[in-house]
């Protein structure tokens, strides 16, 4: 069985020790490192890929919530904290679970099972697409068919919970079981950009930028998300002529 590589992150030594001990008690989890800060976790993740993090929220320098928001491709996240007020915000950053301190081993195992379910789902999604470099095309599994799509024909991609809707100019949208993260990694970064939690856009289709949205045509307006605005603005600045 493939083990899920995990980080334990907490600035309190005793809490970190307990969290690490809980991870070691779950057969399908593998503890990669124990980190006392988000900065330490960042250093680990730069050297080794991680599937999931169990992360405290209230930490000095950089709290867990801001740490996860700042990750371009965050792993599966479970937050822990002594303050229940963070629960709703935790789900806004796609945390699969939220552990309120003090939590028991049974509580932790429930969160770990949610991590496992999400991990298996993401692996299933990865198998739904394959890249053909020579033809500059992708194969997508949809329903009982395998559909070939030329990359240049993709207008934009819309995320819909566990599915993606791939939009074209001259044919019906294609709906596939796939994550935004997987498709974003497969599309050429010089031609496509994620501009919102729910949208990846073909950069060649952008006709206009108006405040916080991009305009592809008279009927297609896509929002620019806060987390993606700086990267998008840098791209536009690199292409900008004039004052």
């Amino acid at each position: 069985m493939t083990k899920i590589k995990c980080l334990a992150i907490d600035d309190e030594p005793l809490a970190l020790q307990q969290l690490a001990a809980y991870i070691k008690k779950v057969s399908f989890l593998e503890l990669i490192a124990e980190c006392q800060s988000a900065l330490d976790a960042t250093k680990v993740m730069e050297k080794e890929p991680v599937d999931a993090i169990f992360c405290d929220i209230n930490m000095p320098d950089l709290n867990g919530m801001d740490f996860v928001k700042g990750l371009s491709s965050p792993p599966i996240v479970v937050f822990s904290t002594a303050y229940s007020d963070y629960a709703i915000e935790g789900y806004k950053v796609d945390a699969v679970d939220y552990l309120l301190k003090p939590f028991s081993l049974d509580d932790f195992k429930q969160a770990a099972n949610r991590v496992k379910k999400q991990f298996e789902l993401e692996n299933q999604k990865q198998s739904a697409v394959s890249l053909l470099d020579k033809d500059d095309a992708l194969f997508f599994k949809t329903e009982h068919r395998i559909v070939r799509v030329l990359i240049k024909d993709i207008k934009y991609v819309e995320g819909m919970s566990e599915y993606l809707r791939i939009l074209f100019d001259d044919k019906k949208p294609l709906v596939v079981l796939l994550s935004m993260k997987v498709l974003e990694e497969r599309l050429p970064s010089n031609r496509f950009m994620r501009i919102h939690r729910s949208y990846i856009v073909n950069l060649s289709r952008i006709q206009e930028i108006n405040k916080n949205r991009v305009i592809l045509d008279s009927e297609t307006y896509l929002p620019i998300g806060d987390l993606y605005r700086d990267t998008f603005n840098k791209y536009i600045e690199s292409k900008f002529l004039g004052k």
Side-chain angles (χ1 to χ4, degrees):
M1 179 180 66
T2 301
K3 289 202 172 186
I4 302 170
K5 296 182 178 181
C6 304
L7 288 186
I9 310 170
D10 200 307
D11 65 302
E12 299 177 9
L14 290 178
L16 180 60
Q17 183 179 354
Q18 182 189 57
L19 181 57
Y22 282 173
I23 291 174
K24 292 174 182 177
K25 289 180 182 292
V26 178
S27 62
F28 54 80
L29 298 181
E30 178 184 354
L31 181 62
I32 299 301
E34 301 173 33
C35 305
Q36 286 193 267
S37 72
L39 299 179
D40 289 343
T42 300
K43 293 177 183 178
V44 174
M45 294 171 69
E46 287 174 350
K47 297 178 181 179
E48 185 168 0
V50 173
D51 302 312
I53 59 174
F54 294 85
C55 184
D56 185 36
I57 294 178
N58 296 82
M59 296 187 292
D61 298 326
L62 180 64
N63 72 47
M65 197 73 67
D66 290 337
F67 165 59
V68 173
K69 287 179 179 178
L71 296 174
S72 58
S73 298
I76 302 167
V77 179
V78 174
F79 283 122
S80 63
T81 186
Y83 302 94
S84 60
D85 293 345
Y86 283 110
I88 295 176
E89 188 176 355
Y91 286 107
K92 288 183 180 179
V93 293
D94 286 338
V96 297
D97 207 352
Y98 178 92
L99 290 166
L100 185 61
K101 296 180 179 179
F103 52 88
S104 66
L105 177 58
D106 285 341
D107 293 332
F108 178 83
K109 285 182 175 179
Q110 289 181 20
N113 284 329
R114 291 190 177 98
V115 169
K116 182 182 179 184
K117 181 178 179 181
Q118 183 65 27
F119 179 76
E120 291 172 346
L121 179 61
E122 289 184 3
N123 281 347
Q124 178 185 352
K125 288 177 179 179
Q126 287 185 19
S127 67
V129 59
S130 61
L131 181 63
L132 301 177
D133 292 324
K134 293 182 179 179
D135 294 335
D136 205 17
L138 292 166
F139 275 12
F140 293 95
K141 291 181 181 178
T142 175
E143 297 176 342
H144 302 293
R145 300 178 297 144
I146 297 178
V147 180
R148 181 174 180 270
V149 172
L150 290 176
I151 291 176
K152 67 180 181 62
D153 290 342
I154 299 174
K155 185 176 181 181
Y156 70 95
V157 180
E158 180 182 7
M160 304 186 305
S161 185
E162 297 178 355
Y163 291 83
L164 297 183
R165 193 163 69 110
I166 303 171
L167 285 296
F168 309 94
D169 282 321
D170 54 358
K171 55 184 176 182
K172 292 182 179 179
L174 186 66
V175 178
V176 297
L177 177 64
L178 194 65
S179 73
M180 292 287 281
K181 178 181 177 181
V182 170
L183 185 56
E184 183 181 8
E185 291 173 350
R186 295 296 184 97
L187 290 170
S189 60
N190 62 327
R191 294 160 60 187
F192 289 82
M193 183 177 292
R194 190 167 181 177
I195 61 169
H196 187 276
R197 178 178 175 180
S198 300
Y199 293 101
I200 296 173
V201 66
N202 185 334
L203 295 169
S204 68
R205 302 303 182 92
I206 297 176
Q207 299 300 316
E208 186 177 335
I209 302 157
N210 190 333
K211 297 182 180 178
N212 292 324
R213 60 184 183 176
V214 297
I215 301 172
L216 305 190
D217 53 46
S218 61
E219 298 179 351
T220 311
Y221 298 73
L222 304 179
I224 304 170
D226 292 340
L227 294 178
Y228 305 91
R229 185 172 291 110
D230 287 346
T231 301
F232 180 72
N233 286 342
K234 287 178 182 178
Y235 165 77
I236 295 301
E237 288 171 5
S238 72
K239 304 291 184 181
F240 190 73
L241 296 177
K243 297 181 179 180

